[in-house]
Amino acid sequence: MASRIKLLVLDTPEAVAQHVAGQFVSLVRDRPGAVLGLATGSTPERSYAEIVRLSKAERVSFAGVHAFNLDEYHGIACEHPQSYRTYMNRHLFDHLDVRPWNTYVLNGAAADVDAECASFEAKIKACGGIDLWLLGIGTNGHVAFNEPGSPADSRTRKVALAESTLASNADGRFFKTPAEVPPHALTAGVGTVLDARRLLLVAIGAKKAEIVAKAVKGPKTPDVPASLLQDHADCTFVLDKAAAERI
Ligand code: F6R
């Protein structure tokens, strides 16, 4: 089957953030009990700031929303300054009226990792599945922490991070050296992500251009996990011009 990925190329990172925020805020306006999927990393920071601004400007309440995050580092406490729970609280949850108990970020410090991953999948099911999941893409093609080699039917589990991921997350944005980055993570699987009713993958900047092109029009292969999104019925890549230049 040919790639079903839809492309939306916008002039600037700001325009990308405005589009993403518009999609989330209008979903929640129309469906106050929406089930959201969220991501961390540098790319969504602008989108989260814009969701906060727009939801306040348009008086859209997130009080009925459930939100699930893609992943979390293994072996660090929720309170760690670089945990994805801390990131989400800082960039989004603390600024919305979403109920903290309806936000689900995997617990990287869970004593029983398998039970933690199974309960994450069960909670998504109990909420009726994810309406819209925001995704980023790693320069190695990972989606969530599904590193190259992750199959399309993978579910939430503990994974080892690729060397390239350790290096990217140690470039000073989040950690200073690869040795500081936790080597394992808990991540929603490719299959978990593909179950969402709608996907928005966001990429910004020239350093994502090559992998974005491979994901959109290259062969569908676990070597480029983002290429496995090609079969999804409603997946849009929202790109700035620089990230789209190799397609
Ligand atoms: C984050 C995640 C990762 C990032 C990807 C891109 O929750 O799952 O897949 O989306 O590593 O990160 P940035 O946006 O920092 O380039």
Side-chain angles (χ1 to χ4, degrees):
M1 200 198 305
S3 173
R4 301 166 83 181
I5 293 172
K6 295 172 262 191
L7 295 176
L8 178 63
V9 182
L10 298 167
D11 281 344
T12 61
E14 290 73 24
V16 168
Q18 282 161 12
H19 177 79
V20 170
Q23 296 297 303
F24 275 87
V25 172
S26 56
L27 169 64
V28 175
R29 184 194 298 109
D30 296 347
R31 193 161 190 260
V35 183
L36 309 182
L38 301 170
T40 59
S42 298
T43 312
E45 287 179 10
R46 278 194 190 87
S47 299
Y48 292 150
E50 189 57 22
I51 287 175
V52 171
R53 191 199 65 73
L54 191 62
S55 62
K56 286 192 197 319
E58 301 199 350
R59 295 174 188 276
V60 175
S61 169
F62 278 57
V65 158
H66 287 76
F68 291 85
N69 261 81
L70 286 170
D71 40 23
E72 177 61 282
Y73 290 115
H74 176 250
I76 65 175
C78 313
E79 302 76 28
H80 188 287
Q82 294 304 338
S83 78
Y84 286 168
R85 162 56 74 182
T86 300
Y87 170 107
M88 288 309 301
N89 289 347
R90 185 186 320 133
H91 290 288
L92 192 66
F93 300 149
D94 285 351
H95 312 285
L96 297 174
D97 60 351
V98 63
R99 305 294 186 232
W101 53 90
N102 289 336
T103 66
Y104 306 99
V105 182
L106 284 151
N107 177 7
D112 185 341
V113 162
D114 291 342
E116 175 66 12
C117 293
S119 122
F120 183 81
E121 294 267 351
K123 280 178 203 148
I124 294 177
K125 258 202 193 114
C127 287
I130 308 258
D131 291 309
L132 175 59
W133 209 327
L134 179 65
L135 307 171
I137 183 171
T139 48
N140 67 357
H142 74 207
V143 166
F145 277 139
N146 293 287
E147 301 288 19
S150 302
D153 61 357
S154 50
R155 308 302 308 186
T156 305
R157 68 208 185 285
K158 181 180 167 189
V159 293
L161 298 182
E163 291 296 324
S164 56
T165 300
L166 297 176
S168 320
N169 288 355
D171 62 3
R173 290 174 307 155
F174 303 114
F175 294 94
K176 289 194 190 70
T177 64
E180 283 178 30
V181 185
H184 294 92
L186 308 188
T187 184
V190 179
T192 320
V193 168
L194 286 172
D195 283 348
R197 286 182 273 282
R198 236 177 106 203
L199 301 174
L200 273 189
L201 183 145
V202 178
I204 285 166
K207 74 171 199 265
K208 297 284 172 74
E210 193 179 328
I211 197 67
V212 162
K214 277 192 188 157
V216 172
K217 58 176 196 185
K220 225 181 320 164
T221 164
D223 295 342
V224 180
S227 70
L228 301 172
L229 304 176
Q230 289 181 15
D231 283 342
H232 195 277
D234 194 353
C235 173
T236 304
F237 278 28
V238 187
L239 310 168
D240 73 345
K241 273 189 181 155
E245 69 193 0
R246 303 286 288 274
I247 297 174

